[in-house]
Every structure is written in C-alpha cells, then in structure tokens.
Amino acid sequence: MLDQTKLPIEESWVELREPGEVADAIKRMVVRGAPLIGAVAAYGLALAALRSRARTGRELLSDLEGAADLLRATRPTAVNLFWALDRVLEAARRAGDDPEAIRQAVLEEAHKIAEEDLAINKRIGQHGQVLVPDKATVLTHCNAGALATVGYGTALGVIRAAVEAGKEVRVIATETRPLLQGARLTAYELVKDGIPVTLITDNMVGYVMSRGMVDLVVVGADRIVRDGVFNKIGTYGIAVLAKEHGVPFYVAAPTSTLDLTRDSSQVIIEERSPDEVVRIGPVRIAPEGVEVLNLAFDFTPMRYVSAVITEDGVFKPDELLKRYG
Amino acid sequence: MLDQTKLPIEESWVELREPGEVADAIKRMVVRGAPLIGAVAAYGLALAALRSRARTGRELLSDLEGAADLLRATRPTAVNLFWALDRVLEAARRAGDDPEAIRQAVLEEAHKIAEEDLAINKRIGQHGQVLVPDKATVLTHCNAGALATVGYGTALGVIRAAVEAGKEVRVIATETRPLLQGARLTAYELVKDGIPVTLITDNMVGYVMSRGMVDLVVVGADRIVRDGVFNKIGTYGIAVLAKEHGVPFYVAAPTSTLDLTRDSSQVIIEERSPDEVVRIGPVRIAPEGVEVLNLAFDFTPMRYVSAVITEDGVFKPDELLKRYG
C-alpha cells in the first residue's frame, strides 16, 4: 500500500503480510477513506485465509472470524469496513467445507470488492457530474479521491467526470485539520491531474462562500444513516455555511456507505489521539498541559444535504430513504 | 517585546530600537492583536521622535509623519493601528514648536495609550463577565488575550473577570490556522492562569455546538464598522454556527476598535503569504504547485452579533450605533 501518512513529501510503499499489519495500517491511517478501508479490510481477511493453518473449513471460518474481529476493532465510524468484512465472511460461509475452496472464495470476494469499487466510483462520477455547471468552483473537504477509494474517487470522481465531460472546473480544497488530508492528499491528486485547485485553511470556508466564490460543495461520506451523514470532522460546519449562502451541498458515496436501518444516535464517533492536534510533524504547536478534543468525524443532519450521489443516481434525502430505506 | 512567533515553545524577547524594526515586528506578527499593535505603533513613533535629529518642531513633525506612514503600511485591517498613530501625531502637533516638548508629548501619549489599554480591558472584563453564567463553557477564537493587548485581554479579559468573580468557567479554544494563535497563545495564557481550556481544531466548532457543549462565544475584533465586525479569519463561520445553534455571540473590544463612519466595503482584508498555510515550522504540508488563499480576517455581519462589549458597557448592534455612530 502507498503510505498516505507520508504524502505528499514522500511516495513510500509498505507491504502488509499479516491481518494484524493490515489492522495496524488502518488504525494508523496509512490507508484511509471509507471505501478504501473496506477493500483493504477485505484483503486483510484474504491474508488471514492464506496464513491460516486450519485443516478444516470450520477451523478456517473460526480463524477468519477472529481476524474479522481484529479488523473490525480498528475504526468505529465508517460503515464500509463492516460491510466489506461481512461480505467476505458471507462468501467464506457459502464456499462449503473445503478450506481451499474457502481460501479461494475469500480472495475472489476481496478482488470483486476492489474491482467493483473502481467501477462504482466511475458511475458516481457520471451521475454527479451533471450537477456541476461549466466554469464551476467546487469546494471539497478532506480527501474523497482516488486515495480514499480503490481509484478515481467519490467526491473527486464527480469532479474528474465533470472535467472529462469537457467542463472547466476549479476546486477549493480545505486543508482538513488535524491530519491535513485536504492539503496533503486532495491537493496532491488534483495538482497531479492538472485540475486547478486552491488550498484554504478550514476556517476560510465562511469567507469564500460569503464572497460568492463557491458554486457547489461535494464531499464523501463515512456512513449515511436515516437522519444524516457522518463524514470527516468539519463537514457539518461546511454544510451549515452552504445552507446559509444558498450553495448546494452534495454527498458522493457508494451504496456500501448506506446504513439506513440505523440513525445517528447509534453511531460512535471515533476520538483519536491528542497528539494529532498538538503536533505537526516534529513541531509542537500547543503548550503542555492543555486538554484536547480530537473527533475524527461529525454528523450532518439530512436537512443540510441537497442530494446524495450513489452509483445508481442522484437522490434527495427523502428519495434516498424511499429507494434504499 | 515578547516574540509571539516563538510561543509557546520559547519565551524569547526582542529589543526594538528603530521605527523600522517596530514596523517589521508588526508585519511579521512578532507582536499581534489589534490593541497591542496600536500601543506598539505608538511606541514606534516615540522611537522615531527620540531617534530624529530634527532641530525644529516642523522638521520633527515631518520625521514623525514619515515614520507613521511606515507603520501604517504594515497591516491594513485592524483600525487600532491607525487610531493610535493619529492620536500620537495629534499630541505631537499640539505640543508646539519645541522639538524637546514634542518628543516628550509623543512619549507621554504612547505611555498613556498603553496604560489606558490595560484599564480599558479590565472595564471590558467587568461589563462582559455579567454575560457569563456560572459553570459556563465559553468558546473563543484566535487570541484576544493579554498577548493581544497591553495586558488582561478583551475576550480573555471577560473570561478572567468571570473567574475573578468566583464563577466556574471552562474555555474551548480553536487552534486558529494558519498561525495557530489559539493553540499557541490562548491555550498558553489560560494554562498559565489555571483556567480549564480544551483545544480543538477550527473545524470542530460545529461538532461541539451541535452537542450543546458551548454556552456562549466571546471573540475580539480588529475593526468594527457600521454593518459588522472584522476579526481573525474563521470568526464569521463561528458566528453562523452560533446563530444556527442559538448560542450567544459576543464581541469584546475597546472603543478604539470602532470605525463606525465606515462600512465593510471600505475595509481591506489583508492577504498574507501562502507559506503560512503550506508550511508549519520546517514541515511542508502541501504539494508544490498548489495555489493558496491566505486571508488574515473575515467579516461578520451585525445580524450574527448578539452584543459588543466595550469599556463603556454591553451594546446590541443598534445600541452600538446609537451610542457611538
């Protein structure tokens, strides 16, 4: 895997050989982004299947369930992780009693999840690009790009598809503290693709909207529940500002992100280490002794969401519930 | 002066001997905070008076006006800078023709501005602390503390006065990118004073408000015009979120910050170097080739402001115009 903690300074690759290494890479955000975490976790189970010395199907299933528990415990908020693990376990259970057949089924399911993700993102892009006018400036938060998925991206997929459709598109990327995925990853992807991108700090969103500089917002999602969207911390503030300024606010996400049997009260928002806030590289930016709150995600109620873009189309919140609920 | 660019890691003092050094310190934000900039600029003129070899009052006034132009050109948004320079120049003009009398008048006026600022902040604190309930959590942005003033602070003065009045107060401080005055300076001041402070990234304001964790917002101001408040970038987004959550939003500032003959269209928002965004200490956080927008301030229309706290009392926006307009 490309170590995303090192970008954009260094393109450094790590090899993951054990499910425990995969779990650690997800936890440390060497890989991140809801769809990518799902695909990587699926391969984590494939590694568990290959490494297992189980001689019966039953033993192997038990090993896989142990590995799934390990992978499940890495990050609590994005649902694609759980969806992918369940899907691979289900394929394993369907494969019968022969350990080799199970191993093959697990690996195939991981491949399928990865391949499908790329195709799904292209379809999200196709549906979503219709919403992007020519000469539009799109604001996006965090990184819902190729680096957050198997490729192409969800929110950035919409932007890429608009560019491929011949539209002139400019992007405003929020840096996305504390881990700076906007500055480090989104800016990196867009500069590489030659799509014009302006980087701002998270607290400049109000300014750029008040000056009429933003035509629409497109972000990804980590989990979509009945009453709203969990996504990277800061998304909610952007959604409130978008509504205040009459700017459409779109969420681009595969259906694997949907969790419409739950509502927001049933979802845990991950709290991460204070170190992510008080240190940037080797630099300490706050005094010793200060308390820190470091939430990785926030919740945006559906009343702020103009539409959700999935691989099946564009859905207003009530339509989304009708279609998938 | 205490070099605020080095805090909280290092308490390093610099000696300023020439008006040019004072201008440079203001520009590089070695000293910052609207009221402090005013006082420091006044002393910059005092240095100009002491350094000048003028032998007539007229020559000395001309030297002072040159130094004032230099100091005026440092930062365009906060009005206290212009107010302090005008006040010292006026004192110089009133002092007659004798260069020594002018030198003395200039130094005295600088001393007066500095002494008054401390007293004014205490009065702002007294008026403002009435608005802070016992056991309140106050959210503040950037640093409107002792370090932004001659002492005590405006927004932090309100918090200090509430604590001195025996109230239990907790503070949520936004880190305030790009220069991190919240993390570096506000957290530092409050930890030193033993006032409980929790540091958050700027994009967590929506989250903490949506969870009911904020009872009121108090910020400082760089310039208050007829239709609203210029303050550190990010203030506007906090004000919109405060309104959305029914959280009172207060601005604490001395009357030297008022510029009620102007409206927002007549004020320049300072744009600073992209380096402040893409570098944190020695760490580069964004790819080469990315465009950056780095505004130092934003504008919050009066409809988001619950009240302005000055040394004279607490004023709703319409009352403020009636009193001072």
Side-chain angles (χ1 to χ4, degrees), chain B residues 131-132 216-220 248-252 304-309 314:
Chain B
L131 302 168
V132 182
L216 66 157
V217 176
V218 187
V219 296
F249 179 89
Y250 299 113
V251 175
Y304 299 100
V305 177
S306 308
V308 176
I309 307 157
V314 177

Side-chain angles (χ1 to χ4, degrees), chain A residues 175 177 236 244-245 304, chain B residues 175 177 199 236 244-245 304:
Chain A
E175 64 174 9
R177 281 279 290 149
Y236 171 56
E244 191 78 2
H245 294 92
Y304 299 101
Chain B
E175 63 174 7
R177 282 280 288 149
L199 179 65
Y236 171 56
E244 191 79 4
H245 294 92
Y304 299 100

Side-chain angles (χ1 to χ4, degrees), chain A residues 70-90:
Chain A
L70 185 77
L71 291 160
R72 222 186 295 273
T74 50
R75 301 199 66 194
T77 309
V79 77
N80 315 59
L81 170 66
F82 310 119
W83 164 87
L85 291 171
D86 288 344
R87 188 168 148 179
V88 174
L89 284 179
E90 187 50 38

Side-chain angles (χ1 to χ4, degrees), chain A residues 174-300:
Chain A
T174 53
E175 64 174 9
T176 318
R177 281 279 290 149
L179 293 181
L180 298 161
Q181 293 93 333
R184 295 191 303 104
L185 309 179
T186 294
Y188 167 86
E189 281 194 28
L190 294 175
V191 166
K192 261 198 154 177
D193 276 12
I195 298 172
V197 52
T198 300
L199 179 65
I200 61 172
T201 57
D202 297 300
N203 57 19
M204 289 181 200
V205 173
Y207 176 91
V208 294
M209 285 197 187
S210 72
R211 296 284 160 133
M213 294 164 72
V214 180
D215 297 302
L216 66 157
V217 175
V218 186
V219 296
D222 292 88
R223 188 187 303 221
I224 300 175
V225 293
R226 294 189 72 77
D227 51 339
V229 175
F230 288 88
N231 191 43
K232 177 56 53 196
I233 188 78
T235 303
Y236 171 56
I238 295 171
V240 169
L241 282 164
K243 193 167 195 194
E244 191 78 2
H245 294 92
V247 172
F249 180 89
Y250 299 113
V251 175
T255 51
S256 55
T257 309
L258 301 179
D259 189 19
L260 298 177
T261 60
R262 287 200 177 75
D263 69 34
S264 54
S265 67
Q266 295 166 279
V267 177
I268 296 165
I269 291 187
E270 178 183 5
E271 202 170 334
R272 295 180 60 86
S273 164
D275 267 2
E276 294 183 347
V277 173
V278 300
R279 290 188 183 284
I280 300 175
V283 183
R284 184 163 177 112
I285 58 151
E288 301 287 341
V290 68
E291 204 181 289
V292 173
L293 194 62
N294 182 17
L295 281 318
F297 304 95
D298 62 21
F299 175 70
T300 301

Side-chain angles (χ1 to χ4, degrees), chain B residues 16-17 22 38-51 60-61 64 84-85 87-95 98-116:
Chain B
L16 307 175
R17 293 164 173 277
V22 173
V40 169
Y43 281 109
L45 279 191
L47 281 173
L50 295 171
R51 297 279 168 202
L60 181 51
L61 276 183
L64 286 175
L85 291 171
R87 189 169 147 178
V88 175
L89 284 178
E90 187 50 38
R93 283 184 205 112
R94 270 197 322 261
D98 174 31
E100 277 320 300
I102 294 175
R103 286 190 176 94
Q104 203 179 323
V106 165
L107 186 60
E108 269 171 20
E109 197 66 22
H111 284 327
K112 249 169 90 179
I113 287 173
E115 279 156 25
E116 280 174 21

